Amino acid sequence: MRLVTLVLLALLGLVHYELWSSKGGVHNVRTLRAQLNTQLETNAQARQVNERMATEVADLRDGLEMVEERARGELGMLKADEILVQLNPMRH
């Protein structure tokens, strides 16, 4: 009976050793979770920067299109390779 108890205690000690110090142990899991949280925060910050930049690009693109439209409509400006054709409706 004493031998069985010693073997079971030894096995219990081995299991605890593996639990706390092995590659899949508690310490390693905590370290990996901390790294994951850090990476998630970094990704969130990068996502915000990307969204801001995409908004700026869209604003610039729309702004240039608006400037071009006004230059064409109000000032009659053309691009270098364009030809202006004006059609007058026929009156009866």
Side-chain angles (χ1 to χ4, degrees):
M1 179 83 166
R2 190 170 246 215
L3 181 62
V4 173
T5 304
L6 289 176
V7 169
L8 288 176
L9 282 175
L11 287 174
L12 183 63
L14 181 63
V15 167
H16 271 277
Y17 175 77
E18 288 291 321
L19 177 67
W20 293 100
S21 63
S22 69
K23 186 176 181 182
V26 173
H27 176 70
N28 193 32
V29 169
R30 286 182 182 164
T31 303
L32 290 174
R33 281 188 183 154
Q35 289 175 354
L36 176 64
N37 289 335
T38 302
Q39 188 62 51
L40 289 174
E41 289 174 10
T42 302
N43 290 353
Q45 290 171 355
R47 195 173 297 112
Q48 288 176 349
V49 169
N50 287 344
E51 288 172 2
R52 257 195 318 262
M53 292 178 82
T55 302
E56 287 181 25
V57 167
D59 288 345
L60 287 172
R61 187 175 292 136
D62 292 341
L64 290 177
E65 288 175 4
M66 191 181 333
V67 168
E68 182 179 344
E69 184 178 329
R70 287 188 75 183
R72 289 173 178 274
E74 294 177 13
L75 302 174
M77 298 180 82
L78 302 173
K79 290 184 179 180
D81 60 345
E82 289 182 331
I83 299 172
L84 176 63
V85 177
Q86 289 183 335
L87 301 174
N88 290 326
M90 295 181 61
R91 295 183 188 174
H92 287 65

